């Protein structure tokens, strides 16, 4: 009798709640589900809010967003809603990692879906130039005439429109989720020259689209009485030279930056508005060499503007404290002939360099390693040349998160190899995660003052103002390798479909409009979708070139594989040469003509792929 009492006292369901919760924090979804089906008391415990909040943290640490509606915050969710959102996110993640996504006929908005996709309208008589979902409830699109339109996805109505009545191009968009605001920049060319790229003058307008808080002030309404979002202009500014990209670094502190190619020196110019409410700017030459093989992004980190650069085999980060940049502030003017001017060449205060960790494709031991433990060579399987970046996508977390979740970034690069004889181009995809800074300064592998063997610090100038510290990270492909720097590939080459975009109205030399190919590809954290040409089987004929929609889900952040249970074990135990995302072909509705697609996008939180077509329709396809 005493033994039975002791056994009952030590059984799992009789443990104190705090102890059970501590145990649950070390369990993944499959373990929690197993606990739920054991008995009623453990089921009640395993469906409480703290347990599911911990599962939500695990998802967010793996850069998997929760499928929330509109501008819902995690704190807004009831326990029932949190349980439902976490369960759906886990189902989507597991399904996308293990099988082909299937059309979803799941319950939406309280009504059983009769179809697995929605068709909403695009602006009438307009060509869509850019399209992006803004939460699950809204879409934002820019047209080739210069309009920007906000659309209600659920009711298929236009909520707001900005029409400058002239040709502007949307360059950058950022969602400030906490403040229910979308910030974006529009640009137009004021002056261009065919002989001097550094004389190119552009004007930008910084806009915001404000969504009112529930119960907030009504600034407009639809016939149904709904509160409308509103467009407003925040600032205008000008740049000189070839602008490579614009970055809305921190809307709450009104901080914006841009990269400008300085043609005369082939270096990167850093343009910044340290407070876009003020008529002033910073424009410096960083002295960093701009090469064809490099991809560039910009991130704010602890009052420093960080230039993130990726070459074929290395990543670099260059740190510019805002306190240093403030020394180069200049006054901006409103008169028509005004153009900004460069202040000085200014080197970074700190440079970090780290190697990428590539799949171990070559497992044969080198002659010098005989008799020792075999060590695979960290060799780039797609080096430059011949592979060059056709496009690079830097993804930052914008969805609702929690303070305990570290902020990561993701890079997806479309690598191309052009055949000069056939003029056909084949493509592969490379993906990895990274953090800012690249690594911990206390990392024992970090060393100061010298570049990596075979690497480069990408042109730290000797005549720059200020002092510079260079920190590099020794290459390591073993257990001590930085998981953030592991690169995953779609290694089977494919041919992506591109559409031709007109760059501007024409050139001053009368050569007419310039065109550039834009790949029909979209990315989200750990996911990519694109339209590709189908390679016909030998002996097959057919009219025209066939196309299909392809999808890949890359492995999640390596540090978080343990949270995935059996799926994580599969990634850990798979040979490195096989550990890549499997490419799937997505089913699409019969009515979608891939020859007519203008834009494509993806929303991983909802399992949705969004395509606009020339007939003025937008298709939102839901998968599970």
């Amino acid at each position: 009798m005493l033994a039975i009492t002791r056994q009952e006292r030590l059984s799992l369901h009789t443990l104190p709640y705090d102890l059970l919760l501590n145990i649950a924090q070390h369990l993944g979804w499959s373990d929690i589900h197993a606990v739920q089906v054991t008995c009623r008391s453990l089921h009640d415990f395993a469906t409480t809010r703290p347990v599911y909040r911990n599962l939500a943290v695990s998802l967010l640490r793996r850069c998997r967003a929760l499928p929330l509606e509109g501008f819902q915050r995690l704190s807004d969710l009831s326990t029932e809603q949190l349980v439902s959102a976490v369960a759906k996110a886990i189902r989507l993640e597991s399904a996308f990692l293990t099988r082909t996504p299937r059309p979803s006929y799941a319950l939406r908005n309280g009504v059983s879906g009769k179809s697995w996709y929605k068709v909403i309208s695009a602006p009438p008589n307009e060509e869509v130039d850019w399209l992006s979902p803004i939460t699950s409830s809204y879409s934002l699109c820019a047209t080739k005439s210069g309009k920007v339109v906000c659309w209600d996805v659920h009711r298929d109505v236009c909520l707001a429109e900005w029409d400058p009545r002239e040709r502007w191009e949307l360059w950058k968009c950022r969602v400030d989720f906490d403040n229910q605001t979308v910030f974006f920049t529009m640009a137009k060319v004021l002056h261009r020259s065919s002989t001097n790229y550094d004389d190119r003058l552009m004007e930008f307008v910084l806009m915001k689209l404000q969504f009112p808080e529930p119960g907030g002030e009504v600034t407009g309404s639809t016939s149904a009485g709904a509160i409308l979002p509103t467009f407003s202009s925040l600032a205008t500014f000008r740049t000189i030279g070839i602008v490579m990209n614009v970055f809305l670094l921190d809307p709450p502190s009104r901080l914006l930056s841009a990269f400008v190619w300085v043609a005369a020196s082939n270096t990167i110019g850093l343009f910044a508005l340290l407070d876009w409410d003020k008529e002033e700017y910073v424009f410096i030459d960083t002295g960093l060499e701009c090469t064809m093989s490099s991809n560039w992004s910009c991130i704010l980190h602890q009052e420093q503007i960080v230039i993130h650069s990726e070459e074929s085999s290395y990543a670099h980060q260059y740190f510019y404290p805002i306190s240093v940049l403030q020394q180069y502030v200049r006054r901006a003017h409103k008169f028509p002939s005004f153009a900004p001017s460069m202040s000085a060449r200014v080197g970074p205060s700190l440079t970090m360099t780290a190697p990428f960790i590539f799949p171990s494709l070559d497992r044969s031991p080198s002659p010098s390693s005989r008799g020792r433990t075999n060590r695979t060579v960290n060799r780039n399987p797609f080096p430059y040349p011949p592979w060059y970046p056709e496009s690079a996508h830097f993804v930052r977390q914008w969805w609702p998160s929690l303070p305990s979740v570290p902020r990561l970034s993701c890079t997806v690069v479309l690598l191309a190899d052009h055949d000069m004889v056939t003029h056909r181009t084949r493509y592969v995809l490379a993906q990895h995660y990274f953090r800012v800074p690249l690594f911990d300064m206390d990392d024992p592998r970090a060393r100061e003052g010298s570049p990596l063997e075979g690497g480069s610090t990408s042109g730290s100038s000797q005549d720059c103002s200020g002092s510079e510290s260079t920190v590099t990270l020794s290459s390591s492909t073993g257990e001590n390798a930085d998981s953030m720097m592991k690169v995953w590939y779609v290694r089977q080459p494919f041919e992506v479909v591109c559409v031709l975009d007109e760059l501007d109205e024409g050139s001053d030399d009368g050569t007419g409009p310039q065109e550039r190919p834009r790949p029909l590809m979209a990315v989200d954290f750990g996911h990519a979708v694109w339209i590709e040409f189908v390679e016909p089987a030998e002996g097959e004929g057919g009219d025209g070139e066939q196309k299909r929609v392809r999808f890949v889900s890359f492995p999640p952040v390596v540090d978080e594989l343990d949270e995935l249970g059996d799926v994580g074990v599969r990634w850990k135990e798979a040979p490195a040469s096989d550990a890549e995302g499997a490419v799937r072909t997505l089913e699409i509705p019969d009515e979608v003509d891939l020859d007519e697609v203008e834009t494509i996008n993806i929303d991983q939180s909802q399992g949705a792929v969004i395509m606009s077509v020339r007939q003025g329709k937008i298709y939102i396809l839901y998968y599970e």
Side-chain angles (χ1 to χ4, degrees):
M1 184 68 179
L2 180 61
I4 296 175
T5 303
R6 183 176 299 166
Q7 184 178 9
E8 289 178 347
R9 186 169 63 248
L10 297 178
S11 63
L12 188 62
H13 74 279
T14 61
L15 291 177
Y17 178 84
D18 290 348
L19 186 55
L20 277 175
L21 186 59
N22 185 273
I23 294 172
Q25 289 176 348
H26 299 278
L27 302 180
W29 163 250
S30 58
D31 301 316
I32 293 296
H33 182 68
V35 170
Q36 289 175 348
V37 298
T38 54
C39 65
R40 180 179 296 275
S41 62
L42 287 178
H43 176 273
D44 293 342
F45 157 74
T47 53
T48 57
R49 188 177 190 89
V51 171
Y52 272 82
R53 188 181 186 278
N54 182 65
L55 291 173
V57 169
S58 296
L59 281 163
L60 293 168
R61 288 179 65 90
R62 299 196 296 274
C63 298
R64 306 306 194 206
L66 297 181
L68 307 182
E69 291 293 327
F71 285 98
Q72 275 184 323
R73 300 178 179 90
L74 291 174
S75 58
D76 298 335
L77 301 180
S78 65
T79 299
E80 182 181 359
Q81 290 173 324
L82 178 63
V83 169
S84 177
V86 168
K88 180 179 177 181
I90 291 174
R91 287 197 307 270
L92 283 175
E93 178 186 39
S94 178
F96 289 175
L97 283 170
T98 56
R99 61 165 172 79
T100 300
R102 298 190 292 255
S104 173
Y105 292 88
L107 196 72
R108 290 197 193 89
N109 300 322
V111 180
S112 179
K114 296 181 180 179
S115 178
W116 58 279
Y117 63 93
K118 290 180 180 178
V119 184
I120 63 174
S121 304
N125 304 315
E126 296 276 1
E127 291 183 80
V128 175
D129 189 46
W130 177 91
L131 172 70
S132 178
I134 305 298
T135 77
S136 63
S137 301
Y138 313 102
S139 69
L140 193 69
C141 69
T143 71
K144 292 189 176 180
S145 70
K147 292 180 183 178
V148 181
V149 179
C150 176
W151 212 267
D152 187 311
V153 169
H154 300 309
R155 295 183 294 131
D156 191 18
V157 295
C158 175
L159 296 179
E161 177 181 297
W162 179 69
D163 185 3
R165 301 188 182 280
E166 59 180 324
R167 177 71 170 104
W168 288 79
E169 184 180 6
L170 193 146
W171 272 59
K172 184 65 68 174
C173 176
R174 174 165 174 165
V175 179
D176 182 352
F177 201 95
D178 291 336
N179 295 307
Q180 299 194 177
T181 307
V182 181
F183 296 87
F184 60 95
T185 53
M186 305 291 292
K188 66 178 179 180
V189 178
L190 298 180
H191 171 76
R192 65 186 68 82
S193 171
S194 61
T195 58
N196 188 351
Y197 292 119
D198 288 342
D199 284 344
R200 184 184 180 93
L201 184 64
M202 295 187 70
E203 185 167 85
F204 289 81
V205 57
L206 175 63
M207 303 286 299
K208 78 171 181 178
L209 175 64
Q210 180 71 59
F211 290 83
E213 291 274 359
E217 181 181 354
V218 178
T219 56
S221 62
T222 64
S223 58
I227 301 174
L228 296 179
T230 55
F231 287 101
S232 58
S233 175
L234 297 175
T236 60
F237 61 95
R238 291 183 177 184
T239 61
I240 192 78
I242 302 294
V243 179
M244 301 166 59
N245 211 335
V246 176
F247 305 92
L248 298 165
L249 294 179
D250 187 33
S253 63
R254 303 181 298 279
L255 180 60
L256 174 149
S257 69
F259 290 156
V260 179
W261 176 49
V262 184
S265 56
N266 192 34
T267 53
I268 297 293
L270 175 62
F271 179 94
L273 302 181
L274 302 183
D275 183 344
W276 62 53
D277 279 352
K278 298 179 180 179
E279 296 293 332
E280 56 188 34
Y281 67 94
V282 173
F283 189 21
I284 60 171
D285 184 351
T286 65
L288 304 174
E289 183 181 2
C290 183
T291 64
M292 185 177 178
S293 61
S294 297
N295 304 303
W296 302 84
S297 185
C298 195
I299 298 167
L300 179 68
H301 174 71
Q302 296 181 351
E303 298 300 311
Q304 299 176 93
I305 292 180
V306 181
I307 298 177
H308 179 86
S309 172
E310 297 185 5
E311 296 178 359
S312 182
S313 298
Y314 295 88
H316 313 278
Q317 287 179 353
Y318 308 97
F319 293 76
Y320 283 84
I322 292 178
S323 60
V324 172
L325 295 176
Q326 286 172 337
Q327 302 172 27
Y328 302 94
V329 168
R330 288 189 172 181
R331 173 93 181 186
H333 299 280
K334 292 291 188 181
F335 47 81
S337 61
F338 169 74
S341 58
M342 190 170 289
S343 301
R345 175 170 286 196
V346 182
S349 299
L350 172 67
T351 296
M352 287 188 174
T353 297
F356 293 120
I357 309 301
F358 300 107
S360 303
L361 304 182
D362 183 5
R363 292 183 172 273
S364 59
S366 63
S368 61
S369 67
R370 298 191 187 279
R372 302 197 307 269
T373 302
N374 293 344
R375 183 182 177 190
T376 56
V377 178
N378 187 38
R379 182 179 300 146
N380 187 350
F382 299 99
Y384 172 83
W387 295 92
Y388 63 90
E390 174 65 34
S391 61
H393 307 261
F394 295 93
V395 187
R396 295 278 288 167
Q397 297 176 34
W398 64 268
W399 56 74
S401 188
L402 294 166
S404 59
V405 177
R407 294 189 64 81
L408 301 178
S409 295
C410 173
T411 302
V412 180
V413 181
L414 183 65
L415 296 169
D417 178 18
H418 184 72
D419 191 314
M420 299 302 294
V421 177
T422 64
H423 295 292
R424 297 290 293 268
T425 304
R426 56 183 187 147
Y427 301 86
V428 296
L429 274 179
Q431 183 263 356
H432 71 92
Y433 299 91
F434 69 90
R435 58 169 65 94
V436 180
L438 275 173
F439 51 85
D440 188 343
M441 291 289 288
D442 296 328
D443 193 312
R445 294 170 293 147
R447 62 183 189 272
E448 295 194 32
S450 61
L452 290 172
E453 181 180 354
S456 164
T457 55
S458 288
S460 298
S461 177
Q462 298 301 313
D463 60 348
C464 295
S465 303
S467 59
E468 176 189 353
S469 175
T470 299
V471 180
T472 62
L473 189 66
S474 300
S475 177
S476 176
T477 56
E479 292 182 357
N480 293 326
D482 187 349
S483 62
M484 293 296 104
M485 300 301 290
K486 291 187 177 180
V487 183
W488 307 95
Y489 288 98
V490 172
R491 292 203 305 265
Q492 183 62 42
F494 57 90
E495 188 172 354
V496 70
V497 176
C498 298
V499 295
L500 294 178
D501 284 340
E502 190 174 296
L503 291 178
D504 49 49
E505 298 295 333
S507 301
D508 290 345
D509 60 2
T511 58
Q514 305 290 313
E515 291 184 331
R516 66 180 171 203
R518 171 170 50 86
L520 284 175
M521 186 184 82
V523 305
D524 204 342
F525 264 99
H527 305 280
V529 63
W530 66 93
I531 299 176
E532 72 177 24
F533 292 106
V534 178
E535 190 71 30
E538 187 175 351
E540 281 190 1
D543 298 330
E545 294 180 293
Q546 300 298 310
K547 301 173 183 177
R548 60 184 175 185
V549 179
R550 300 283 269 173
F551 172 88
V552 67
S553 187
F554 289 102
V557 181
V558 178
D559 288 345
E560 308 300 328
L561 285 179
D562 290 335
E563 304 291 341
L564 281 172
D566 293 340
V567 176
V569 171
R570 181 172 69 85
W571 286 114
K572 278 190 171 183
E573 295 181 350
S577 57
D578 298 329
E580 61 176 313
V583 181
R584 324 282 187 176
T585 299
L586 295 182
E587 180 180 340
I588 62 172
D590 292 337
E591 64 187 270
V592 175
D593 184 353
L594 295 182
D595 292 334
E596 300 298 318
V597 174
E598 294 176 315
T599 65
I600 187 169
N601 219 304
I602 182 174
D603 180 358
Q604 61 129 327
S605 67
Q606 304 293 329
V609 173
I610 303 102
M611 293 186 287
S612 67
V613 298
R614 293 188 181 92
Q615 293 83 3
K617 295 180 180 179
I618 297 172
Y619 289 87
I620 306 176
L621 317 178
Y622 295 96
Y623 296 93
E624 62 182 9

